[in-house]
Amino acid sequence: MNDADVSKQIQQMVRFIRQEAEEKANEISVSAEEEFNIEKLQLVEAEKKKIRQEYERKEKQVDVRKKIEYSMQLNASRIKVLQAQDDVVNSMKEAAGKDLLNVSRDNHVYKKLLNDLIVQSLLRLKEPSVLLRCRKEDLQLVESVLASAKQEYAEKVKVHAPEVIIDKNVYLPPAPSHHNAHGPYCSGGVVLASRDGKIVCENTLDARLDVVFRKKLPEIRKRLFGQVAA
């Protein structure tokens, strides 16, 4: 083999090696690009996922805040409605309380009422001796009906007429007035108690109004507002 043949073979080998190197380089380049694209896609998807999760988290936060605000507004509205209803009911009670004052102004009606209240109190106490308190302004009327009230009680229960002592040292408060707008008051009626003070029957007009009002409150609310208060 002469030098020309050797040179030719060397050139062929160089071309082969170069071609293999170029093909390998192309393979590496293509593989690297594919890996890069895959990694880039994975990174993009990961970022997209993070963005979606962050958006969903913030969306949930906004939704929770909206629900809380709605609930607070709803509760505030309910409280306002209930307060307005209470104002109406209380104004009715105040009006009824003012009407009680007219009861004691009619002596004939009030005298009969005092008699009935004393009898009712005696029936509740069923004591042989009791203490009676009234307003100072009602003292004469109470004294005028006391005997008949005791007799009526005795006939109903079939016992001897009880001893009823009118307390002339401590009277029930007077009727409400402009001079005594915020102090204790009594629109009329009586309070009877056992001599030892352990049993008390408060039969004032104001106490009776409270009892009736509490008892009738669900019905009052239903008539006024179309529902029974919880």
PDB file of all heavy atoms in Angstrom, residues 116-127 130-134 172 188-205 207-208 211:
ATOM      1  N   ASP A 116    -112.363  42.905  95.192  1.00  0.00           N
ATOM      2  CA  ASP A 116    -112.058  41.642  94.505  1.00  0.00           C
ATOM      3  C   ASP A 116    -110.584  41.268  94.644  1.00  0.00           C
ATOM      4  O   ASP A 116    -110.250  40.087  94.809  1.00  0.00           O
ATOM      5  CB  ASP A 116    -112.421  41.748  93.025  1.00  0.00           C
ATOM      6  CG  ASP A 116    -113.931  41.895  92.815  1.00  0.00           C
ATOM      7  OD1 ASP A 116    -114.688  41.586  93.749  1.00  0.00           O
ATOM      8  OD2 ASP A 116    -114.323  42.324  91.711  1.00  0.00           O
ATOM      9  N   LEU A 117    -109.707  42.254  94.586  1.00  0.00           N
ATOM     10  CA  LEU A 117    -108.274  41.985  94.712  1.00  0.00           C
ATOM     11  C   LEU A 117    -107.923  41.490  96.118  1.00  0.00           C
ATOM     12  O   LEU A 117    -107.081  40.598  96.275  1.00  0.00           O
ATOM     13  CB  LEU A 117    -107.464  43.250  94.388  1.00  0.00           C
ATOM     14  CG  LEU A 117    -107.478  43.702  92.921  1.00  0.00           C
ATOM     15  CD1 LEU A 117    -106.770  45.042  92.772  1.00  0.00           C
ATOM     16  CD2 LEU A 117    -106.828  42.659  92.017  1.00  0.00           C
ATOM     17  N   ILE A 118    -108.565  42.056  97.126  1.00  0.00           N
ATOM     18  CA  ILE A 118    -108.318  41.616  98.506  1.00  0.00           C
ATOM     19  C   ILE A 118    -108.813  40.185  98.692  1.00  0.00           C
ATOM     20  O   ILE A 118    -108.123  39.345  99.275  1.00  0.00           O
ATOM     21  CB  ILE A 118    -109.004  42.576  99.513  1.00  0.00           C
ATOM     22  CG1 ILE A 118    -108.324  43.950  99.471  1.00  0.00           C
ATOM     23  CG2 ILE A 118    -108.932  42.003 100.930  1.00  0.00           C
ATOM     24  CD1 ILE A 118    -109.061  45.027 100.253  1.00  0.00           C
ATOM     25  N   VAL A 119    -110.013  39.894  98.178  1.00  0.00           N
ATOM     26  CA  VAL A 119    -110.558  38.538  98.289  1.00  0.00           C
ATOM     27  C   VAL A 119    -109.648  37.540  97.585  1.00  0.00           C
ATOM     28  O   VAL A 119    -109.336  36.465  98.122  1.00  0.00           O
ATOM     29  CB  VAL A 119    -111.992  38.475  97.703  1.00  0.00           C
ATOM     30  CG1 VAL A 119    -112.479  37.023  97.636  1.00  0.00           C
ATOM     31  CG2 VAL A 119    -112.947  39.319  98.530  1.00  0.00           C
ATOM     32  N   GLN A 120    -109.227  37.886  96.407  1.00  0.00           N
ATOM     33  CA  GLN A 120    -108.346  36.993  95.641  1.00  0.00           C
ATOM     34  C   GLN A 120    -107.031  36.751  96.380  1.00  0.00           C
ATOM     35  O   GLN A 120    -106.531  35.619  96.429  1.00  0.00           O
ATOM     36  CB  GLN A 120    -108.061  37.589  94.257  1.00  0.00           C
ATOM     37  CG  GLN A 120    -107.271  36.661  93.359  1.00  0.00           C
ATOM     38  CD  GLN A 120    -106.965  37.293  92.012  1.00  0.00           C
ATOM     39  OE1 GLN A 120    -106.295  38.329  91.969  1.00  0.00           O
ATOM     40  NE2 GLN A 120    -107.466  36.708  90.939  1.00  0.00           N
ATOM     41  N   SER A 121    -106.472  37.796  96.966  1.00  0.00           N
ATOM     42  CA  SER A 121    -105.221  37.658  97.714  1.00  0.00           C
ATOM     43  C   SER A 121    -105.412  36.763  98.935  1.00  0.00           C
ATOM     44  O   SER A 121    -104.556  35.921  99.248  1.00  0.00           O
ATOM     45  CB  SER A 121    -104.713  39.034  98.146  1.00  0.00           C
ATOM     46  OG  SER A 121    -104.477  39.860  97.018  1.00  0.00           O
ATOM     47  N   LEU A 122    -106.529  36.929  99.638  1.00  0.00           N
ATOM     48  CA  LEU A 122    -106.809  36.085 100.806  1.00  0.00           C
ATOM     49  C   LEU A 122    -106.953  34.618 100.396  1.00  0.00           C
ATOM     50  O   LEU A 122    -106.492  33.714 101.097  1.00  0.00           O
ATOM     51  CB  LEU A 122    -108.083  36.567 101.501  1.00  0.00           C
ATOM     52  CG  LEU A 122    -107.976  37.926 102.223  1.00  0.00           C
ATOM     53  CD1 LEU A 122    -109.359  38.384 102.686  1.00  0.00           C
ATOM     54  CD2 LEU A 122    -107.023  37.826 103.418  1.00  0.00           C
ATOM     55  N   LEU A 123    -107.566  34.382  99.242  1.00  0.00           N
ATOM     56  CA  LEU A 123    -107.732  33.013  98.753  1.00  0.00           C
ATOM     57  C   LEU A 123    -106.378  32.381  98.411  1.00  0.00           C
ATOM     58  O   LEU A 123    -106.197  31.173  98.583  1.00  0.00           O
ATOM     59  CB  LEU A 123    -108.639  33.004  97.518  1.00  0.00           C
ATOM     60  CG  LEU A 123    -110.129  33.264  97.783  1.00  0.00           C
ATOM     61  CD1 LEU A 123    -110.872  33.525  96.472  1.00  0.00           C
ATOM     62  CD2 LEU A 123    -110.751  32.068  98.506  1.00  0.00           C
ATOM     63  N   ARG A 124    -105.464  33.194  97.951  1.00  0.00           N
ATOM     64  CA  ARG A 124    -104.142  32.668  97.634  1.00  0.00           C
ATOM     65  C   ARG A 124    -103.325  32.392  98.896  1.00  0.00           C
ATOM     66  O   ARG A 124    -102.610  31.396  98.982  1.00  0.00           O
ATOM     67  CB  ARG A 124    -103.384  33.650  96.728  1.00  0.00           C
ATOM     68  CG  ARG A 124    -103.921  33.702  95.312  1.00  0.00           C
ATOM     69  CD  ARG A 124    -103.096  34.645  94.456  1.00  0.00           C
ATOM     70  NE  ARG A 124    -103.612  34.720  93.097  1.00  0.00           N
ATOM     71  CZ  ARG A 124    -103.125  35.528  92.152  1.00  0.00           C
ATOM     72  NH1 ARG A 124    -102.109  36.329  92.451  1.00  0.00           N
ATOM     73  NH2 ARG A 124    -103.639  35.549  90.943  1.00  0.00           N
ATOM     74  N   LEU A 125    -103.425  33.273  99.863  1.00  0.00           N
ATOM     75  CA  LEU A 125    -102.637  33.123 101.087  1.00  0.00           C
ATOM     76  C   LEU A 125    -103.206  32.057 102.022  1.00  0.00           C
ATOM     77  O   LEU A 125    -102.469  31.278 102.620  1.00  0.00           O
ATOM     78  CB  LEU A 125    -102.547  34.464 101.826  1.00  0.00           C
ATOM     79  CG  LEU A 125    -101.769  35.584 101.114  1.00  0.00           C
ATOM     80  CD1 LEU A 125    -101.872  36.875 101.895  1.00  0.00           C
ATOM     81  CD2 LEU A 125    -100.306  35.192 100.960  1.00  0.00           C
ATOM     82  N   LYS A 126    -104.554  32.094 102.180  1.00  0.00           N
ATOM     83  CA  LYS A 126    -105.222  31.168 103.109  1.00  0.00           C
ATOM     84  C   LYS A 126    -104.578  31.203 104.497  1.00  0.00           C
ATOM     85  O   LYS A 126    -104.271  30.170 105.095  1.00  0.00           O
ATOM     86  CB  LYS A 126    -105.221  29.743 102.549  1.00  0.00           C
ATOM     87  CG  LYS A 126    -106.157  29.553 101.367  1.00  0.00           C
ATOM     88  CD  LYS A 126    -106.234  28.085 100.955  1.00  0.00           C
ATOM     89  CE  LYS A 126    -107.335  27.849  99.942  1.00  0.00           C
ATOM     90  NZ  LYS A 126    -107.165  28.565  98.684  1.00  0.00           N
ATOM     91  N   GLU A 127    -104.351  32.402 104.996  1.00  0.00           N
ATOM     92  CA  GLU A 127    -103.754  32.604 106.311  1.00  0.00           C
ATOM     93  C   GLU A 127    -104.792  33.210 107.259  1.00  0.00           C
ATOM     94  O   GLU A 127    -105.622  34.032 106.837  1.00  0.00           O
ATOM     95  CB  GLU A 127    -102.552  33.557 106.210  1.00  0.00           C
ATOM     96  CG  GLU A 127    -101.362  32.985 105.462  1.00  0.00           C
ATOM     97  CD  GLU A 127    -100.593  31.986 106.297  1.00  0.00           C
ATOM     98  OE1 GLU A 127    -100.406  32.223 107.511  1.00  0.00           O
ATOM     99  OE2 GLU A 127    -100.187  30.949 105.737  1.00  0.00           O
ATOM    100  N   VAL A 130    -103.183  38.341 108.271  1.00  0.00           N
ATOM    101  CA  VAL A 130    -102.328  38.854 107.192  1.00  0.00           C
ATOM    102  C   VAL A 130    -102.096  40.344 107.357  1.00  0.00           C
ATOM    103  O   VAL A 130    -102.834  41.044 108.066  1.00  0.00           O
ATOM    104  CB  VAL A 130    -102.952  38.588 105.797  1.00  0.00           C
ATOM    105  CG1 VAL A 130    -103.115  37.108 105.539  1.00  0.00           C
ATOM    106  CG2 VAL A 130    -104.277  39.311 105.656  1.00  0.00           C
ATOM    107  N   LEU A 131    -101.060  40.808 106.662  1.00  0.00           N
ATOM    108  CA  LEU A 131    -100.729  42.234 106.636  1.00  0.00           C
ATOM    109  C   LEU A 131    -101.074  42.769 105.256  1.00  0.00           C
ATOM    110  O   LEU A 131    -100.760  42.141 104.254  1.00  0.00           O
ATOM    111  CB  LEU A 131     -99.238  42.432 106.919  1.00  0.00           C
ATOM    112  CG  LEU A 131     -98.732  43.876 107.042  1.00  0.00           C
ATOM    113  CD1 LEU A 131     -99.287  44.533 108.298  1.00  0.00           C
ATOM    114  CD2 LEU A 131     -97.198  43.898 107.058  1.00  0.00           C
ATOM    115  N   LEU A 132    -101.730  43.913 105.198  1.00  0.00           N
ATOM    116  CA  LEU A 132    -102.149  44.505 103.921  1.00  0.00           C
ATOM    117  C   LEU A 132    -101.466  45.854 103.738  1.00  0.00           C
ATOM    118  O   LEU A 132    -101.447  46.681 104.662  1.00  0.00           O
ATOM    119  CB  LEU A 132    -103.662  44.666 103.884  1.00  0.00           C
ATOM    120  CG  LEU A 132    -104.283  45.216 102.592  1.00  0.00           C
ATOM    121  CD1 LEU A 132    -105.699  44.682 102.396  1.00  0.00           C
ATOM    122  CD2 LEU A 132    -104.320  46.747 102.540  1.00  0.00           C
ATOM    123  N   ARG A 133    -100.949  46.060 102.547  1.00  0.00           N
ATOM    124  CA  ARG A 133    -100.376  47.361 102.192  1.00  0.00           C
ATOM    125  C   ARG A 133    -101.092  47.910 100.968  1.00  0.00           C
ATOM    126  O   ARG A 133    -101.403  47.168 100.035  1.00  0.00           O
ATOM    127  CB  ARG A 133     -98.877  47.242 101.901  1.00  0.00           C
ATOM    128  CG  ARG A 133     -98.037  47.120 103.152  1.00  0.00           C
ATOM    129  CD  ARG A 133     -96.572  47.015 102.850  1.00  0.00           C
ATOM    130  NE  ARG A 133     -95.803  46.850 104.077  1.00  0.00           N
ATOM    131  CZ  ARG A 133     -94.557  46.404 104.134  1.00  0.00           C
ATOM    132  NH1 ARG A 133     -93.937  46.091 103.012  1.00  0.00           N
ATOM    133  NH2 ARG A 133     -93.934  46.286 105.292  1.00  0.00           N
ATOM    134  N   CYS A 134    -101.308  49.218 100.993  1.00  0.00           N
ATOM    135  CA  CYS A 134    -101.955  49.902  99.868  1.00  0.00           C
ATOM    136  C   CYS A 134    -101.318  51.275  99.713  1.00  0.00           C
ATOM    137  O   CYS A 134    -100.463  51.673 100.517  1.00  0.00           O
ATOM    138  CB  CYS A 134    -103.463  50.020 100.122  1.00  0.00           C
ATOM    139  SG  CYS A 134    -103.870  51.036 101.556  1.00  0.00           S
ATOM    140  N   LEU A 172     -97.618  51.609  99.797  1.00  0.00           N
ATOM    141  CA  LEU A 172     -97.142  51.391  98.428  1.00  0.00           C
ATOM    142  C   LEU A 172     -96.840  52.747  97.803  1.00  0.00           C
ATOM    143  O   LEU A 172     -97.421  53.760  98.203  1.00  0.00           O
ATOM    144  CB  LEU A 172     -98.200  50.649  97.610  1.00  0.00           C
ATOM    145  CG  LEU A 172     -98.579  49.242  98.087  1.00  0.00           C
ATOM    146  CD1 LEU A 172     -99.637  48.646  97.161  1.00  0.00           C
ATOM    147  CD2 LEU A 172     -97.367  48.332  98.149  1.00  0.00           C
ATOM    148  N   GLY A 188    -102.126  51.301  91.608  1.00  0.00           N
ATOM    149  CA  GLY A 188    -103.277  50.912  92.416  1.00  0.00           C
ATOM    150  C   GLY A 188    -103.206  49.454  92.792  1.00  0.00           C
ATOM    151  O   GLY A 188    -102.285  48.731  92.414  1.00  0.00           O
ATOM    152  N   GLY A 189    -104.185  49.006  93.613  1.00  0.00           N
ATOM    153  CA  GLY A 189    -104.206  47.613  94.029  1.00  0.00           C
ATOM    154  C   GLY A 189    -103.643  47.442  95.424  1.00  0.00           C
ATOM    155  O   GLY A 189    -103.433  48.426  96.153  1.00  0.00           O
ATOM    156  N   VAL A 190    -103.379  46.210  95.811  1.00  0.00           N
ATOM    157  CA  VAL A 190    -102.915  45.911  97.169  1.00  0.00           C
ATOM    158  C   VAL A 190    -101.829  44.849  97.151  1.00  0.00           C
ATOM    159  O   VAL A 190    -101.664  44.120  96.164  1.00  0.00           O
ATOM    160  CB  VAL A 190    -104.083  45.398  98.051  1.00  0.00           C
ATOM    161  CG1 VAL A 190    -105.099  46.500  98.313  1.00  0.00           C
ATOM    162  CG2 VAL A 190    -104.750  44.178  97.401  1.00  0.00           C
ATOM    163  N   VAL A 191    -101.099  44.768  98.261  1.00  0.00           N
ATOM    164  CA  VAL A 191    -100.139  43.692  98.495  1.00  0.00           C
ATOM    165  C   VAL A 191    -100.461  43.094  99.849  1.00  0.00           C
ATOM    166  O   VAL A 191    -100.517  43.810 100.852  1.00  0.00           O
ATOM    167  CB  VAL A 191     -98.683  44.203  98.476  1.00  0.00           C
ATOM    168  CG1 VAL A 191     -97.727  43.078  98.876  1.00  0.00           C
ATOM    169  CG2 VAL A 191     -98.322  44.741  97.105  1.00  0.00           C
ATOM    170  N   LEU A 192    -100.697  41.784  99.899  1.00  0.00           N
ATOM    171  CA  LEU A 192    -100.982  41.096 101.151  1.00  0.00           C
ATOM    172  C   LEU A 192     -99.863  40.108 101.440  1.00  0.00           C
ATOM    173  O   LEU A 192     -99.300  39.508 100.519  1.00  0.00           O
ATOM    174  CB  LEU A 192    -102.313  40.363 101.091  1.00  0.00           C
ATOM    175  CG  LEU A 192    -103.567  41.186 101.479  1.00  0.00           C
ATOM    176  CD1 LEU A 192    -103.872  42.218 100.415  1.00  0.00           C
ATOM    177  CD2 LEU A 192    -104.768  40.284 101.694  1.00  0.00           C
ATOM    178  N   ALA A 193     -99.549  39.928 102.727  1.00  0.00           N
ATOM    179  CA  ALA A 193     -98.486  39.012 103.116  1.00  0.00           C
ATOM    180  C   ALA A 193     -98.847  38.330 104.424  1.00  0.00           C
ATOM    181  O   ALA A 193     -99.604  38.869 105.243  1.00  0.00           O
ATOM    182  CB  ALA A 193     -97.164  39.762 103.249  1.00  0.00           C
ATOM    183  N   SER A 194     -98.301  37.136 104.602  1.00  0.00           N
ATOM    184  CA  SER A 194     -98.474  36.467 105.891  1.00  0.00           C
ATOM    185  C   SER A 194     -97.744  37.280 106.956  1.00  0.00           C
ATOM    186  O   SER A 194     -96.848  38.062 106.643  1.00  0.00           O
ATOM    187  CB  SER A 194     -97.909  35.041 105.817  1.00  0.00           C
ATOM    188  OG  SER A 194     -96.536  35.076 105.460  1.00  0.00           O
ATOM    189  N   ARG A 195     -98.114  37.085 108.222  1.00  0.00           N
ATOM    190  CA  ARG A 195     -97.544  37.906 109.284  1.00  0.00           C
ATOM    191  C   ARG A 195     -96.023  37.755 109.391  1.00  0.00           C
ATOM    192  O   ARG A 195     -95.326  38.694 109.776  1.00  0.00           O
ATOM    193  CB  ARG A 195     -98.209  37.556 110.621  1.00  0.00           C
ATOM    194  CG  ARG A 195     -99.684  37.942 110.692  1.00  0.00           C
ATOM    195  CD  ARG A 195     -99.893  39.458 110.552  1.00  0.00           C
ATOM    196  NE  ARG A 195     -99.246  40.175 111.643  1.00  0.00           N
ATOM    197  CZ  ARG A 195     -99.804  40.393 112.837  1.00  0.00           C
ATOM    198  NH1 ARG A 195    -101.022  39.927 113.087  1.00  0.00           N
ATOM    199  NH2 ARG A 195     -99.162  41.060 113.769  1.00  0.00           N
ATOM    200  N   ASP A 196     -95.518  36.565 109.044  1.00  0.00           N
ATOM    201  CA  ASP A 196     -94.059  36.371 109.109  1.00  0.00           C
ATOM    202  C   ASP A 196     -93.354  36.858 107.842  1.00  0.00           C
ATOM    203  O   ASP A 196     -92.126  36.834 107.758  1.00  0.00           O
ATOM    204  CB  ASP A 196     -93.719  34.901 109.364  1.00  0.00           C
ATOM    205  CG  ASP A 196     -94.289  33.976 108.292  1.00  0.00           C
ATOM    206  OD1 ASP A 196     -94.782  34.472 107.265  1.00  0.00           O
ATOM    207  OD2 ASP A 196     -94.258  32.740 108.496  1.00  0.00           O
ATOM    208  N   GLY A 197     -94.140  37.287 106.854  1.00  0.00           N
ATOM    209  CA  GLY A 197     -93.559  37.837 105.626  1.00  0.00           C
ATOM    210  C   GLY A 197     -93.025  36.812 104.653  1.00  0.00           C
ATOM    211  O   GLY A 197     -92.467  37.164 103.613  1.00  0.00           O
ATOM    212  N   LYS A 198     -93.213  35.522 104.941  1.00  0.00           N
ATOM    213  CA  LYS A 198     -92.684  34.479 104.060  1.00  0.00           C
ATOM    214  C   LYS A 198     -93.524  34.283 102.807  1.00  0.00           C
ATOM    215  O   LYS A 198     -93.016  33.847 101.768  1.00  0.00           O
ATOM    216  CB  LYS A 198     -92.578  33.158 104.831  1.00  0.00           C
ATOM    217  CG  LYS A 198     -91.505  33.172 105.915  1.00  0.00           C
ATOM    218  CD  LYS A 198     -91.399  31.815 106.599  1.00  0.00           C
ATOM    219  CE  LYS A 198     -90.295  31.820 107.651  1.00  0.00           C
ATOM    220  NZ  LYS A 198     -90.190  30.521 108.346  1.00  0.00           N
ATOM    221  N   ILE A 199     -94.811  34.569 102.894  1.00  0.00           N
ATOM    222  CA  ILE A 199     -95.702  34.423 101.738  1.00  0.00           C
ATOM    223  C   ILE A 199     -96.238  35.802 101.362  1.00  0.00           C
ATOM    224  O   ILE A 199     -96.815  36.494 102.210  1.00  0.00           O
ATOM    225  CB  ILE A 199     -96.874  33.472 102.037  1.00  0.00           C
ATOM    226  CG1 ILE A 199     -96.369  32.161 102.634  1.00  0.00           C
ATOM    227  CG2 ILE A 199     -97.678  33.203 100.772  1.00  0.00           C
ATOM    228  CD1 ILE A 199     -97.458  31.252 103.122  1.00  0.00           C
ATOM    229  N   VAL A 200     -96.047  36.193 100.153  1.00  0.00           N
ATOM    230  CA  VAL A 200     -96.472  37.517  99.693  1.00  0.00           C
ATOM    231  C   VAL A 200     -97.323  37.367  98.442  1.00  0.00           C
ATOM    232  O   VAL A 200     -96.970  36.608  97.532  1.00  0.00           O
ATOM    233  CB  VAL A 200     -95.260  38.427  99.388  1.00  0.00           C
ATOM    234  CG1 VAL A 200     -95.730  39.781  98.864  1.00  0.00           C
ATOM    235  CG2 VAL A 200     -94.386  38.601 100.620  1.00  0.00           C
ATOM    236  N   CYS A 201     -98.415  38.070  98.403  1.00  0.00           N
ATOM    237  CA  CYS A 201     -99.271  38.105  97.207  1.00  0.00           C
ATOM    238  C   CYS A 201     -99.327  39.546  96.714  1.00  0.00           C
ATOM    239  O   CYS A 201     -99.978  40.396  97.317  1.00  0.00           O
ATOM    240  CB  CYS A 201    -100.670  37.580  97.539  1.00  0.00           C
ATOM    241  SG  CYS A 201    -101.792  37.659  96.110  1.00  0.00           S
ATOM    242  N   GLU A 202     -98.620  39.790  95.640  1.00  0.00           N
ATOM    243  CA  GLU A 202     -98.592  41.149  95.076  1.00  0.00           C
ATOM    244  C   GLU A 202     -99.724  41.268  94.069  1.00  0.00           C
ATOM    245  O   GLU A 202     -99.663  40.720  92.976  1.00  0.00           O
ATOM    246  CB  GLU A 202     -97.241  41.413  94.405  1.00  0.00           C
ATOM    247  CG  GLU A 202     -97.052  42.863  94.004  1.00  0.00           C
ATOM    248  CD  GLU A 202     -95.668  43.148  93.448  1.00  0.00           C
ATOM    249  OE1 GLU A 202     -94.813  42.237  93.465  1.00  0.00           O
ATOM    250  OE2 GLU A 202     -95.457  44.288  92.987  1.00  0.00           O
ATOM    251  N   ASN A 203    -100.750  41.993  94.471  1.00  0.00           N
ATOM    252  CA  ASN A 203    -101.932  42.121  93.628  1.00  0.00           C
ATOM    253  C   ASN A 203    -102.175  43.579  93.253  1.00  0.00           C
ATOM    254  O   ASN A 203    -103.313  44.058  93.274  1.00  0.00           O
ATOM    255  CB  ASN A 203    -103.158  41.547  94.357  1.00  0.00           C
ATOM    256  CG  ASN A 203    -103.930  40.574  93.473  1.00  0.00           C
ATOM    257  OD1 ASN A 203    -103.639  40.432  92.292  1.00  0.00           O
ATOM    258  ND2 ASN A 203    -104.933  39.916  94.030  1.00  0.00           N
ATOM    259  N   THR A 204    -101.074  44.247  92.875  1.00  0.00           N
ATOM    260  CA  THR A 204    -101.225  45.621  92.383  1.00  0.00           C
ATOM    261  C   THR A 204    -101.629  45.573  90.909  1.00  0.00           C
ATOM    262  O   THR A 204    -101.469  44.551  90.240  1.00  0.00           O
ATOM    263  CB  THR A 204     -99.903  46.397  92.510  1.00  0.00           C
ATOM    264  OG1 THR A 204     -98.920  45.758  91.695  1.00  0.00           O
ATOM    265  CG2 THR A 204     -99.418  46.431  93.959  1.00  0.00           C
ATOM    266  N   LEU A 205    -102.144  46.693  90.431  1.00  0.00           N
ATOM    267  CA  LEU A 205    -102.540  46.746  89.013  1.00  0.00           C
ATOM    268  C   LEU A 205    -101.327  46.564  88.102  1.00  0.00           C
ATOM    269  O   LEU A 205    -101.427  45.921  87.051  1.00  0.00           O
ATOM    270  CB  LEU A 205    -103.222  48.082  88.712  1.00  0.00           C
ATOM    271  CG  LEU A 205    -104.500  48.394  89.512  1.00  0.00           C
ATOM    272  CD1 LEU A 205    -105.125  49.690  89.015  1.00  0.00           C
ATOM    273  CD2 LEU A 205    -105.503  47.257  89.424  1.00  0.00           C
ATOM    274  N   ALA A 207     -98.577  44.832  88.813  1.00  0.00           N
ATOM    275  CA  ALA A 207     -98.173  43.425  88.836  1.00  0.00           C
ATOM    276  C   ALA A 207     -99.097  42.585  87.977  1.00  0.00           C
ATOM    277  O   ALA A 207     -98.654  41.678  87.263  1.00  0.00           O
ATOM    278  CB  ALA A 207     -98.168  42.908  90.275  1.00  0.00           C
ATOM    279  N   ARG A 208    -100.391  42.896  88.042  1.00  0.00           N
ATOM    280  CA  ARG A 208    -101.357  42.152  87.218  1.00  0.00           C
ATOM    281  C   ARG A 208    -101.098  42.390  85.731  1.00  0.00           C
ATOM    282  O   ARG A 208    -101.194  41.462  84.921  1.00  0.00           O
ATOM    283  CB  ARG A 208    -102.791  42.576  87.576  1.00  0.00           C
ATOM    284  CG  ARG A 208    -103.223  42.239  88.991  1.00  0.00           C
ATOM    285  CD  ARG A 208    -103.183  40.737  89.241  1.00  0.00           C
ATOM    286  NE  ARG A 208    -104.115  40.015  88.407  1.00  0.00           N
ATOM    287  CZ  ARG A 208    -105.357  39.701  88.778  1.00  0.00           C
ATOM    288  NH1 ARG A 208    -105.793  40.021  89.987  1.00  0.00           N
ATOM    289  NH2 ARG A 208    -106.145  39.044  87.963  1.00  0.00           N
ATOM    290  N   VAL A 211     -98.113  40.275  84.685  1.00  0.00           N
ATOM    291  CA  VAL A 211     -98.479  38.861  84.557  1.00  0.00           C
ATOM    292  C   VAL A 211     -99.238  38.614  83.259  1.00  0.00           C
ATOM    293  O   VAL A 211     -98.931  37.699  82.493  1.00  0.00           O
ATOM    294  CB  VAL A 211     -99.318  38.402  85.767  1.00  0.00           C
ATOM    295  CG1 VAL A 211     -99.899  37.006  85.521  1.00  0.00           C
ATOM    296  CG2 VAL A 211     -98.483  38.400  87.032  1.00  0.00           C
TER     297      VAL A 211
END
